[in-house]
Amino acid sequence: MNADTKKTVNPLEQPLKGVIEMPPDKSVSHRAAIFGALVKEPVLINNFSAGADCKSTLSVLEQLGVEVSSRSGKILVISNKNGFKQPYNVLDAGNSGTTMRLMAGVLAGSNITCTITGDESLKKRPMSRIIKPLRLMGADIQAEDNNTKAPIGIKGSNLKGIIYNSPVASAQVKSCVLLAGLHAEGKTALSEPFKSRDHTERLLSYLGADIKTENNKVIIQKSGLSPEPISIPGDISSAAFFMVAASIVPGSEIVIRNVGLNPTRTGIIDVLRKMNAEMEILNKRTECNEEIGDIKVSHSDLKAIDIKKEMIPNIIDELPIIAIAATQAEGMTIVREAEELRHKESDRIKAICTELKKLGADIEEAVDGFVINGKSKLRGNCVLETYHDHRIAMSAYVAGLVSLKPVQINGFDWVNISFPGFTEVFGEISN
Ligand code: S3P
């Protein structure tokens, strides 16, 4: 990613109107490619993400000898007939925590010896959360900084199932342990304090794995997967930027088509509705065990919200854009017990507070969240930073649209991590 790219965003002079589509879901794309590589026969994937993070997953798989062929744009075939091969080089997960943590779970129980690393941001993120349970399963795994940071060295070995209570509600930790459990002797059970996104459970079950869920607990047994074709919905986390923009720009009315509506991801809809947003779900259906539908959003006068701890895992990626909505909502929005935000692609609590202050918002930083007092006119006429973080870049863009004066965003290219073509989609609804 080119950290030097600068983008000027001009305040919108007219409402957002029209019908748009989102890029393919990033979380489901990673899983489709990784699980596809665990099937003996080729697997067809329809609507695979073009984002840089999912490309990191594909290139790690290719380094391991998996064939990835592209059939017309977003259709991929993943083929790993002969199993993983010993890689020649260090595996590079780029900026992608999902690639690193899920692949660590797969590789721990393989017959491969390798090292997996990432970019500067990923090398700062906590890895002991996966190393600890993998070691309990018998994995031969070590990492930098007293086993807390990437690069991670893995020597594939025979694993045994465990009963694990994860201290964090994290889909990446859960998926890592479940993928290790798929190749371990005996039963693996993982419980988490709150339910994190469950794409792994749904897709593994769709592919025939022996997996079952009881509230916040998932149990998996060694099993083979079958070569079912996988279809990926539009990304609700990408849609969040448009939902908020349409809610705060007067006169707007948009429809976002074919968005994934998995109940562990729809927290953004619940939060915006509680803030008095006007939203309607249309054409709801299910594909490959995932709910999908269209979302109609119209402008409304937003009010503040007190976000409760149990809602955090469900909106973990949407909190930066929720903060922008909160600046345009009447009253005090409170986000607490969201310390996890400090361990994402950037320290998102610090990033949100620093950048919103530059715009003139009334925001106060806490150790585990922030408090925003709305509604305030965002001044613009300033330079915003993105901290190598795609969601901070896209949130800054939406803030620029409702500011009084233009803003400049440095390092705007980071949007390509999950959403190449982000500004073009805004262009489709702003004329
Ligand atoms: C993801 C899980 C979440 C999320 C990330 C994608 C996934 O991370 O923030 O963007 O695909 O499993 P955690 O599981 O670490 O909370």
Side-chain angles (χ1 to χ4, degrees), residues 25-28 30-31 53 97-99 101-102 125 129 168-175 192 196-197 199-200 237 265 313 316-318 340 343-345 348 390-391:
D25 189 277
K26 178 162 89 67
S27 285
V28 183
H30 284 297
R31 288 159 172 79
D53 263 13
T98 310
T99 308
R101 295 189 177 120
L102 270 57
R125 297 178 65 184
R129 53 180 62 192
V168 273
S170 158
Q172 293 179 357
V173 172
K174 175 172 65 178
S175 304
E192 48 185 352
S196 63
R197 66 189 65 188
H199 302 300
T200 292
S237 296
R265 296 282 298 281
I316 192 72
D317 290 338
E318 286 67 66
E340 267 294 302
H343 307 295
K344 293 294 169 185
E345 287 84 330
R348 286 185 175 156
H390 55 134
R391 301 200 196 280

Side-chain angles (χ1 to χ4, degrees), residues 78-378:
I78 302 280
S79 194
N80 191 19
K81 274 182 257 150
N82 303 317
F84 293 130
K85 293 192 190 68
Q86 192 58 45
Y88 297 117
N89 294 312
V90 169
L91 303 172
D92 186 2
N95 190 245
S96 173
T98 310
T99 308
M100 180 170 283
R101 295 189 177 120
L102 270 57
M103 285 309 297
V106 169
L107 291 163
S110 73
N111 52 6
I112 299 296
T113 299
C114 62
T115 299
I116 184 159
T117 192
D119 69 6
E120 289 313 307
S121 147
L122 188 50
K123 282 195 275 191
K124 288 191 196 122
R125 297 178 65 184
M127 291 300 150
S128 42
R129 53 180 62 192
I130 56 160
I131 290 171
K132 192 172 164 221
L134 287 177
R135 283 192 162 175
L136 291 172
M137 296 178 84
D140 187 344
I141 181 166
Q142 34 274 317
E144 283 298 296
D145 256 356
N146 206 12
N147 293 315
T148 59
K149 301 275 156 56
I152 304 176
I154 302 168
K155 185 163 185 270
S157 49
N158 292 331
L159 303 180
K160 56 181 191 308
I162 47 166
I163 297 174
Y164 189 64
N165 288 322
S166 175
V168 273
S170 158
Q172 293 179 357
V173 172
K174 175 172 65 178
S175 304
C176 171
V177 173
L178 293 176
L179 286 167
L182 191 65
H183 295 116
E185 278 318 316
K187 222 185 252 180
T188 297
L190 178 135
S191 312
E192 48 185 352
F194 300 104
K195 192 176 165 90
S196 63
R197 66 189 65 188
D198 66 356
H199 302 300
T200 292
E201 297 90 304
R202 285 169 184 254
L203 191 51
L204 283 178
S205 159
Y206 171 76
L207 296 173
D210 183 349
I211 183 166
K212 60 175 193 286
T213 301
E214 293 160 7
N215 303 315
N216 298 349
K217 181 173 174 191
V218 193
I219 303 155
I220 195 164
Q221 299 246 45
K222 195 174 199 165
S223 31
L225 304 179
S226 53
E228 304 298 332
I230 304 170
S231 196
I232 298 168
D235 198 325
I236 189 166
S237 296
S238 303
F241 301 99
F242 294 85
M243 293 182 209
V244 169
S247 296
I248 62 182
V249 174
S252 297
E253 187 179 292
I254 63 167
V255 174
I256 317 171
R257 293 189 58 227
N258 303 325
V259 181
L261 295 172
N262 177 316
T264 59
R265 296 282 298 281
T266 48
I268 178 66
I269 298 178
D270 304 333
V271 164
L272 286 174
R273 278 189 169 147
K274 281 197 182 115
M275 294 176 83
N276 194 39
E278 210 182 304
M279 306 178 84
E280 219 182 307
I281 307 294
L282 312 159
N283 300 323
K284 212 167 163 187
R285 60 203 187 275
T286 302
E287 273 175 32
C288 300
N289 259 350
E290 291 282 356
E291 281 139 65
I292 304 182
D294 303 339
I295 308 171
K296 184 174 171 192
V297 192
S298 314
H299 168 260
S300 57
D301 292 320
L302 296 186
K303 57 183 182 28
I305 181 171
D306 183 355
I307 295 184
K308 300 281 176 236
K309 184 182 180 177
E310 55 275 18
M311 296 164 81
I312 302 288
N314 205 310
I315 50 168
I316 192 72
D317 290 338
E318 286 67 66
L319 282 162
I321 189 63
I322 288 172
I324 308 298
T327 68
Q328 303 308 302
E330 211 63 63
M332 196 180 279
T333 291
I334 303 170
V335 176
R336 300 300 299 267
E337 300 185 269
E339 213 265 335
E340 267 294 302
L341 275 182
R342 295 207 185 265
H343 307 295
K344 293 294 169 185
E345 287 84 330
S346 69
D347 174 345
R348 286 185 175 156
I349 295 179
K350 184 164 160 257
I352 292 165
C353 295
T354 311
E355 300 313 301
L356 275 177
K357 269 184 195 149
K358 287 185 196 165
L359 284 161
D362 180 349
I363 181 165
E364 208 171 294
E365 182 172 343
V367 255
D368 58 353
F370 47 84
V371 176
I372 295 177
N373 215 341
K375 151 182 195 174
S376 53
K377 287 262 179 242
L378 301 181

